[in-house]
Amino acid sequence: MLAPSQLVSYILPGVILTIELTVLGNLLAAGIAFTVGFARLSKSTWLRLSARIFTEFFRGTSMYVQLFWAYFVLPLFGLALTPFQAAVLVLGLNSGAYASEIVRGAMLALPREQLEACIALNLSRWQRLRRVLLPQALLLMIPPFSNSFVELLKSTSIVSLISLSDMTFRAQTMRTQTGNTAIPFLTILILYFALALFISKVMRALERRLTPKAA
Amino acid sequence: MPSPMVQFNNVHKLYGAHAVLTDLSLSVSPGEKLALIGASGSGKTTILRILMTLETIQGGSIFVGGQPLWSPETAGLSPRRREMHLHKMRTNIGMVFQQFNLFPHMNVLRNVTLAPILTQGVKEADARALAMELLEMVGMAHKAHALPAELSGGQKQRAAIARALALKPKVMLFDEVTSALDPELVEEVLNVMRKLALETDMTMLLVTHEMSFARDFADRVLFLDGGRIVEEGPPGEIFRNPQQERTKLFLRKIVAAGLSL
Amino acid sequence: MSWDWAFAFQILPKLVEGLKFTVLASLLGSVLSMLIGLAIGIGRRWAGPTVASVLGYAVEFIRGTPLLVQLYFAFYILPDIGIYLSPLTAGLLALGIHYSSYTSEVFRAGIDNVDRGQWEAAKALNLSHFQTWRYVIVPEAVPPMVPALGNYVVSMFKETPLLSLVTIVEVMAQARIIANINYRYLEPITMVGVFFLVVSVPSAMALHFLERRYALGNRQSSHIAVF
Ligand SMILES: Nc1ncnc2c1ncn2[C@@H]1O[C@H](COP(=O)(O)OP(=O)(O)OP(=O)(O)O)[C@@H](O)[C@H]1O
Ligand SMILES: [Mg+2]
């Protein structure tokens, strides 16, 4: 029989690593999503094109391949990353490439009339964006960003490929060392699901906070 | 004769290959209330949008308050300089839209105070005081803290009028401000505009399908067809005694449609 | 380290073989995910409220947990309870079930997207139940689903390297084997990356084209130049 303490000592360090990867990866992803998303809306053809190539590249090559590449091939070019750095980088770049579509889509979904009202009120470009367009677009972005954050959480399960001991890796270790299959895997399934629920709860709370309220 | 507040000289406007305004010249004196009428697609909205710098022109020149808004010189400016120029010119002009275009994420008061604070450096407290004064005038003071989504169409439009007035423009543009409203809400907005005409000496350009309102409100009516001015004059003459066939036809259709003159 | 063309050409046939397997697995997985997804979609709409809510929670759970863990689950736990599947069958099953949690939503949204008035109009015209589906609902609901489903096929394709973790030798596993034998990572892994790019980018572009033609939901008509 498995003692509960055994379960905790096997899985807990993995939980922490999974959370770290999720938080850092998503932070990077959000930064990239806004940078690339806005670049794709830019007037400059050059910027638009490079943003487009960036997205197509990271969405087009599988994340697994990217992870291997970052870990095994980049060092050949003199850029040696720790497994953790490689994982955060790849998770963030990949997810950011997808999420840049969220940013772009939300900005494009705003009615053109809002921009015209800004011009009529003589707001500067920055003021238009900061005071009128972004507050409305952010609200539209929250639900899809919530999904994107959860997808990244799920993707962290592959980092054992480059020898990081995340939750999934820990469950595997426990399986081989204790011979018990059901408990470790059921446990981490529930943990992943709980983390996913947590993310969507937080995002929903954020959405409620940002929704303008009647006085 | 004072120098005109708004002056169009031989303006050409194209959408692609489609000429919307052709060789259009007009001038509006300071304080004048000008009504633009004409069939759908005749170019009325386009004239206002050009003045609000929402559209560019392909020929001719436009002056507001004696300064060039669009002219061969401004056309040659770099995008950055041009935006600076337009930014300066827009301080003279305000516009009220057919669809209100209030900012949905801000309450009415914030909608009104935003631009004075951001673009004119007005202090928050002063901006609020001014906004409340304007909201009082349009009968919206009691809704100052409501969100646009909580207002009726007429209330939204009155709030939008207050928002445009808060920048104290010299020229106000009204584009069919009542045509998105239910019939019973039209009058409350028109009343605000009548009051505005009495209490201020702003120059106003007004596009409307409410002919009776145009007759009472305007000093001069301009009938457009196919991007050209067909006829213009004091409302009494245009409505009672139109000279041009096309004007007669247009007015007859309006009457036939059951609208009052 | 520099690129070795001779080596690249030497390993190409092996990788292409792996790629074929990858494409096949994603196609089979897609078919499976669509069948299961359709069943779930129908169940959630027309079965009783209990079934519908159980299915709803199941979908949410499957969506909220990683494919890899589900894969391990099918591979290690099913035999424990007496279900013996070949690695490939277990792998495809996991792929199919995981992606059915996405496809079922597409089916549901697609059907819900057909205006209520259409059902009523069909009734008013006295069409039979079958005729209503055949001539009204399916033709309206299906076209917008195509790009959405297609996107999931492409996603699945990019996730198939996971199968290598349950002993299936698809293209990524092939590349790793080659890399380990020859101590050269650059060529095999880069080539796999290029393979994925060559398959996904044109597919994504084709799907994007379809998406524009049959946009599900609201269309973006106005363009705002923000900067
Ligand atoms: N963005 C645009 N692109 C192309 N053509 C346009 C555009 N906006 C307006 N037009 C065309 O320009 C012409 C004048 O349009 P405008 O909106 O000024 O008419 P209007 O007199 O305001 O009509 P209405 O009474 O219907 O509002 C019309 O033929 C219209 O089709
Ligand atoms: Mg118009």
Side-chain angles (χ1 to χ4, degrees), chain B residues 44-45 98 175-176 207:
Chain B
K44 309 179 295 288
T45 295
Q98 184 172 353
D175 188 10
E176 296 194 33
V207 173

Side-chain angles (χ1 to χ4, degrees), chain C residues 37 41 44 56 59 63 100-110 152:
Chain C
R44 285 187 75 175
V59 164
R63 249 185 122 126
S100 73
S101 69
Y102 295 92
T103 56
S104 65
E105 290 296 307
V106 176
F107 289 120
R108 218 162 63 105
Y152 289 126

Side-chain angles (χ1 to χ4, degrees), chain B residues 31-250:
Chain B
E32 191 177 3
K33 316 284 181 265
L34 176 70
L36 303 170
I37 63 170
S40 182
S42 56
K44 309 179 295 288
T45 295
T46 305
I47 291 176
L48 300 195
R49 288 176 60 84
I50 291 170
L51 271 172
M52 195 62 256
T53 74
L54 297 171
E55 305 285 348
T56 54
I57 59 174
Q58 280 69 45
S61 58
I62 297 172
F63 293 81
V64 174
Q67 290 175 317
L69 179 71
W70 301 107
S71 67
E73 299 94 80
T74 66
L77 294 174
S78 71
R80 211 189 133 79
R81 298 294 296 276
R82 201 173 78 164
E83 176 56 30
M84 278 168 59
H85 163 73
L86 292 179
H87 190 75
K88 197 178 84 207
M89 291 304 291
R90 281 195 289 256
T91 54
N92 299 320
I93 309 161
M95 180 162 181
V96 182
F97 298 88
Q98 184 172 353
Q99 294 294 342
F100 334 125
N101 300 353
L102 290 173
F103 301 134
H105 58 299
M106 300 174 185
N107 66 24
V108 168
L109 184 63
R110 188 85 182 118
N111 260 284
V112 180
T113 58
L114 184 77
I117 292 173
L118 292 181
T119 68
Q120 299 180 335
V122 178
K123 290 216 182 60
E124 174 96 32
D126 299 342
R128 277 168 174 267
L130 171 67
M132 286 313 295
E133 207 174 290
L134 290 170
L135 288 173
E136 193 70 56
M137 189 195 74
V138 299
M140 285 290 293
H142 64 298
K143 290 285 185 186
H145 295 282
L147 288 172
E150 301 168 295
L151 303 179
S152 73
Q155 292 172 327
K156 280 182 197 160
Q157 196 56 296
R158 286 183 284 144
I161 291 173
R163 180 174 77 171
L165 289 173
L167 288 169
K168 304 193 173 123
K170 295 195 185 104
V171 181
M172 274 282 271
L173 312 171
F174 296 91
D175 188 10
E176 296 194 33
V177 293
T178 58
S179 58
L181 301 179
D182 290 338
E184 72 272 19
L185 300 178
V186 169
E187 210 49 36
E188 65 184 53
V189 173
L190 294 184
N191 281 336
V192 165
M193 292 176 63
R194 287 190 186 101
K195 199 154 130 194
L196 211 57
L198 282 177
E199 291 177 7
T200 71
D201 54 1
M202 261 185 289
T203 310
M204 297 189 189
L205 274 73
L206 159 95
V207 173
T208 186
H209 287 304
E210 302 277 337
M211 294 305 152
S212 59
F213 178 67
R215 192 186 51 200
D216 302 343
F217 182 83
D219 303 318
R220 183 156 59 110
V221 174
L222 203 135
F223 175 68
L224 283 163
D225 189 56
R228 291 169 201 271
I229 299 169
V230 175
E231 189 163 357
E232 62 176 302
E237 278 174 32
I238 294 273
F239 289 124
R240 226 158 270 133
N241 188 19
Q243 300 301 306
Q244 302 291 328
E245 267 319 303
R246 273 182 290 180
T247 321
K248 287 179 195 165
L249 191 67
F250 174 74

Side-chain angles (χ1 to χ4, degrees), chain A:
Chain A
M1 239 347 257
L2 270 174
S5 66
Q6 229 183 328
L7 184 64
V8 172
S9 67
Y10 269 113
I11 305 290
L12 187 62
V15 177
I16 293 167
L17 184 68
T18 294
I19 291 174
E20 282 172 0
L21 288 171
T22 306
V23 171
L24 292 179
N26 273 325
L27 279 177
L28 181 59
I32 288 171
F34 276 90
T35 314
V36 176
F38 280 132
R40 289 203 55 191
L41 294 167
S42 151
K43 273 198 195 125
S44 142
T45 321
W46 184 85
L47 257 183
R48 269 205 320 270
L49 190 71
S50 19
R52 184 73 198 273
I53 291 172
F54 172 89
T55 4
E56 294 300 342
F57 177 80
F58 278 98
R59 295 197 308 180
T61 54
S62 166
M63 190 192 287
Y64 311 85
V65 184
Q66 290 160 20
L67 197 63
F68 266 98
W69 214 86
Y71 189 58
F72 291 106
V73 181
L74 274 188
L76 306 177
F77 297 102
L79 185 59
L81 299 173
T82 65
F84 186 78
Q85 289 166 340
V88 170
L89 190 69
V90 168
L91 288 167
L93 287 172
N94 195 284
S95 171
Y98 279 96
S100 67
E101 284 292 321
I102 297 175
V103 174
R104 176 170 170 269
M107 294 306 292
L108 290 178
L110 298 177
R112 202 194 153 75
E113 287 73 25
Q114 287 291 309
L115 181 68
E116 293 184 352
C118 290
I119 297 175
L121 292 175
N122 212 7
L123 303 186
S124 71
R125 279 171 192 283
W126 169 243
Q127 289 166 342
R128 289 171 208 167
L129 187 66
R130 160 83 181 72
R131 306 291 177 147
V132 177
L133 303 178
L134 256 189
Q136 295 181 57
L138 277 179
L139 206 55
L140 297 178
M141 290 179 205
I142 289 178
F145 257 113
S146 175
N147 285 338
S148 160
F149 290 163
V150 171
E151 289 299 323
L152 187 139
L153 162 70
K154 287 158 62 184
S155 300
T156 59
S157 65
I158 66 166
V159 298
S160 59
L161 287 177
I162 55 171
S163 76
L164 282 173
S165 339
D166 72 316
M167 229 150 80
T168 307
F169 181 81
R170 290 275 167 170
Q172 268 285 32
T173 315
M174 186 170 168
R175 180 187 67 81
T176 50
Q177 292 182 0
T178 66
N180 192 323
T181 315
I183 289 182
F185 284 130
L186 281 175
T187 308
I188 64 165
L189 273 178
I190 291 168
L191 285 173
Y192 275 115
F193 187 59
L195 289 174
L197 277 185
F198 177 75
I199 291 175
S200 60
K201 280 261 148 56
V202 168
M203 293 301 277
R204 220 164 292 160
L206 184 66
E207 186 178 17
R208 265 198 306 276
R209 267 206 63 171
L210 291 186
T211 305
K213 270 176 228 45

Side-chain angles (χ1 to χ4, degrees), chain C residues 13-31:
Chain C
K14 274 220 163 98
L15 288 181
V16 168
E17 209 167 292
L19 183 67
K20 277 188 205 155
F21 189 87
T22 297
V23 170
L24 185 73
S26 26
L27 288 180
L28 287 175
S30 305
V31 171

